[in-house]
Amino acid sequence: MKYHIVTYGCQMNVHESEKIAGILRQSGYTEESSIEEADVIVFNTCCIRENAENHAFGNIGALKKLKRNKRGLVIAVGGCMAQEAGKAALLKEKFPFIDVMFGTHNLGELGSLIERKKAQKKALISVPEERKETEDGVEPVRTSFPNAWVNIIYGCNNFCTYCIVPYVRGRERSRKKEDVLAEVRSLVKEGYREITLLGQNVNSYRDGDVAFPELLDAVASVEGDFRVRFMTSHPKDFSPELVAVMKKHKKICKLLHLPAQSGSNRILVAMNRRYTREKYLENVALLRREIPDCELTTDLIVGFPTETEEEFEETLSLVREADFASAFTFIYSPRTGTKAAEMEGRIPDEVSKNRITRLIALVNEQTRKKSAGYVGKEIEILCEDYDEKKGLYLGRDEFGRMGYFASEKDPLGKFVTLKVDRANGISLYGIAITKEV
Ligand code: SAH
Ligand code: SF4
Ligand code: F3S
């Protein structure tokens, strides 16, 4: 019995799909296969922007024929879209051939839902409203060796006015420090070389008196040859303690993903972000003073309701001033149920498209300039894959930059020092100077 999982959305969802795979294995599905060969197909959906939803709608719809022609095929839909108010019903109406629907709050029930569905004809929809405890207890089937994701906090309490996450992921729930540490220790023992701590806002982590900097300190103090990343940090919770911990440990990547969203104070208020441009830049200055060779990445939204040309230009100038190494850029997408969706002053599509094109051009220019600066230098990458087309191994440095190199041996899962001889956009090419590879 084979399974196929289709994942949309953020790292959180990628890791949750690993947990879904774990549940399917417990239920007797033994291997991952192509969509055509699978006995169960699970869609792990995202609803952060309209295009994420459209993707899922398109791909689920495309299964109508397969479902008709293949007896016993189970189609399950879960994740953030299924959890969204009214969406499960809409999905069921549009695609009556869906067998099982589950939300973000009852992922653990997927196995029993599939069992029950097999025993009866009727579709099963189970999307509970809220979840108070953490999602511990499911053993994931990890798919991204030598990297491993580790949840530290679930949910979000921030209610940025554009964002649907708090509605589909519920309130914040932190895992116990000891549980996080036990998971990290065992991953390192198994040979994982990169641990990424995950949360919608890792800086809100709290277990009794233990806040995020302390947890990070403890994780980075685990013995072994590995590095630590974390995402995402909310600028309002940025603290000198966090910087101190980053500075203290070589194992912690000197990369901070700090979503700014906008460079305009008026828009930041309308977004309910609870920091100003000045405060954001002060944090950046502190970080650069303490850790001079660190890099910053960010998320930016253009076309938020009422955003003027001048306010957009403040986002452009923030990109220059903060000197981001790269950025994820988005056109604002209204999400039903959020505050911003009710706001007046929608920005026309052509205006938003024009803004994002200019923003991407600026970000790319900065990224390229930084990459070019690496030619002739040495970087340490963690080899994570082999690119068949290029005939080269690849991995990332601590700043997330991709490095490619040739090797006769098997360097997968190893730290490799490269002497960079060429940069192409965000990719670096070099010669491995680590002896054993
Ligand atoms: N928890 C993280 C990331 C949340 S989603 C954080 O707080 O930073 C990832 C990114 O999607 C956000 O940072 C934001 O830039 C973008 N995003 C969220 N809602 C959006 C919307 N309605 N339209 C466009 N972009 C959105
Ligand atoms: Fe969404 Fe804001 Fe929470 Fe991030 S912090 S998940 S952008 S509400
Ligand atoms: Fe999408 Fe849900 Fe992540 S809405 S971005 S998959 S938390």
Side-chain angles (χ1 to χ4, degrees):
M1 295 243 286
K2 296 173 181 169
Y3 65 88
H4 185 91
I5 305 170
V6 187
T7 309
Y8 308 87
C10 61
Q11 265 84 1
M12 216 88 59
N13 251 23
V14 172
H15 184 40
E16 244 137 64
S17 286
E18 297 182 332
K19 294 183 185 174
I20 289 173
I23 293 169
L24 295 175
R25 297 243 175 156
Q26 274 171 7
S27 308
Y29 294 90
T30 47
E31 60 178 305
E32 173 126 40
S33 71
S34 69
I35 213 159
E36 291 77 19
E37 285 175 28
D39 302 292
V40 60
I41 302 169
V42 183
F43 288 90
N44 190 12
T45 62
C46 168
C47 57
I48 196 86
R49 283 169 293 274
E50 197 183 351
N51 53 9
E53 296 203 327
N54 289 344
H55 261 128
F57 273 126
N59 293 351
I60 298 169
L63 285 190
K64 193 173 169 183
K65 216 170 129 202
L66 187 67
K67 174 71 183 172
R68 206 189 301 135
N69 296 337
K70 188 165 177 177
R71 276 195 61 208
L73 170 66
V74 175
I75 296 180
V77 178
C80 291
M81 203 170 152
Q83 189 68 50
E84 210 184 326
K87 269 288 152 66
L90 180 71
L91 278 161
K92 188 70 200 103
E93 193 187 303
K94 258 184 115 107
F95 310 116
F97 55 85
I98 294 175
D99 297 297
V100 168
M101 231 179 293
F102 60 103
T104 58
H105 299 306
N106 63 333
L107 186 100
E109 285 170 35
L110 176 61
S112 64
L113 286 170
I114 291 176
E115 284 316 306
R116 274 167 56 206
K117 165 61 206 170
K118 281 183 175 165
Q120 66 175 60
K121 263 205 140 123
K122 229 171 117 259
L124 277 167
I125 302 180
S126 173
V127 183
E129 265 186 16
E130 178 66 288
R131 171 164 188 146
K132 299 211 166 45
E133 75 276 31
T134 59
E135 278 92 288
D136 292 1
V138 181
E139 198 55 45
V141 176
R142 297 190 184 265
T143 50
S144 56
F145 180 85
N147 314 296
W149 314 105
V150 174
N151 290 118
I152 63 164
I153 178 169
Y154 301 95
C156 180
N157 291 355
N158 289 320
F159 290 95
C160 303
T161 55
Y162 51 80
C163 185
I164 197 149
V165 170
Y167 302 92
V168 293
R169 291 278 172 168
R171 297 294 70 72
E172 287 169 358
R173 296 146 344 250
S174 292
R175 288 180 71 196
K176 294 246 159 291
K177 178 186 167 191
E178 277 317 314
D179 292 348
V180 172
L181 283 177
E183 187 174 345
V184 171
R185 281 192 206 106
S186 86
L187 287 166
V188 172
K189 224 184 241 160
E190 285 170 47
Y192 286 89
R193 292 279 166 266
E194 183 173 277
I195 304 291
T196 306
L197 305 178
L198 281 182
Q200 292 298 348
N201 178 15
V202 291
N203 298 80
S204 297
Y205 176 87
R206 199 154 264 285
D207 173 24
D209 298 337
V210 180
F212 181 60
E214 210 176 309
L215 178 77
L216 183 62
D217 192 8
V219 167
S221 303
V222 169
E223 259 180 54
D225 187 18
F226 68 103
R227 62 188 183 192
V228 186
R229 299 184 187 281
F230 54 93
M231 65 188 314
T232 300
S233 295
H234 194 301
K236 80 173 165 48
D237 304 313
F238 179 92
S239 67
E241 290 80 11
L242 174 66
V243 180
V245 173
M246 286 178 76
K247 191 175 170 177
K248 177 176 158 192
H249 292 276
K250 246 197 101 216
K251 276 184 189 149
I252 303 175
C253 296
K254 293 193 272 313
L255 169 73
L256 189 66
H257 184 64
L258 198 63
Q261 312 300 357
S262 168
S264 148
N265 282 335
R266 195 186 67 87
I267 295 294
L268 286 171
V269 170
M271 286 177 164
N272 189 32
R273 289 291 286 178
R274 287 173 284 168
Y275 53 86
T276 59
R277 173 195 180 94
E278 292 72 27
K279 185 72 201 158
Y280 186 93
L281 285 170
E282 249 175 56
N283 289 339
V284 172
L286 170 71
L287 187 71
R288 297 220 190 271
R289 202 163 51 237
E290 292 295 315
I291 312 174
D293 53 343
C294 72
E295 293 276 28
L296 264 171
T297 57
T298 200
D299 292 351
L300 299 163
I301 297 176
V302 304
F304 188 82
T306 74
E307 183 190 63
T308 64
E309 169 64 21
E310 290 71 30
E311 285 162 343
F312 163 67
E313 283 169 17
E314 288 187 78
T315 298
L316 291 179
S317 69
L318 182 80
V319 170
R320 288 192 199 93
E321 279 179 55
D323 195 24
F324 296 123
S326 69
F328 295 108
T329 53
F330 308 105
I331 290 180
Y332 167 72
S333 170
R335 307 281 70 208
T336 309
T338 62
K339 267 200 177 152
E342 309 293 313
M343 289 178 188
E344 288 179 4
R346 287 271 171 92
I347 304 301
D349 274 357
E350 321 81 77
V351 176
S352 293
K353 280 188 186 140
N354 171 286
R355 286 180 189 167
I356 202 160
T357 308
R358 286 151 70 202
L359 181 61
I360 291 172
L362 174 64
V363 170
N364 286 349
E365 185 192 315
Q366 283 187 196
T367 306
R368 264 197 300 270
K369 228 185 257 167
K370 278 181 189 279
S371 294
Y374 276 84
V375 177
K377 295 203 174 127
E378 288 178 11
I379 57 167
E380 186 187 62
I381 60 150
L382 174 58
C383 181
E384 60 185 49
D385 211 349
Y386 180 72
D387 185 322
E388 297 273 350
K389 265 201 209 132
K390 289 192 166 93
L392 296 172
Y393 285 96
L394 62 128
R396 280 164 219 275
D397 72 356
E398 66 177 310
F399 307 112
R401 238 178 257 110
M402 201 69 93
Y404 291 87
F405 66 103
S407 173
E408 299 290 303
K409 298 188 186 145
D410 180 10
L412 282 174
K414 293 199 175 117
F415 287 107
V416 179
T417 302
L418 293 188
K419 174 118 179 161
V420 179
D421 52 22
R422 185 160 67 89
N424 182 6
I426 53 165
S427 305
L428 304 174
Y429 295 80
I431 295 161
I433 53 174
T434 309
K435 275 206 187 68
E436 61 271 27
V437 299

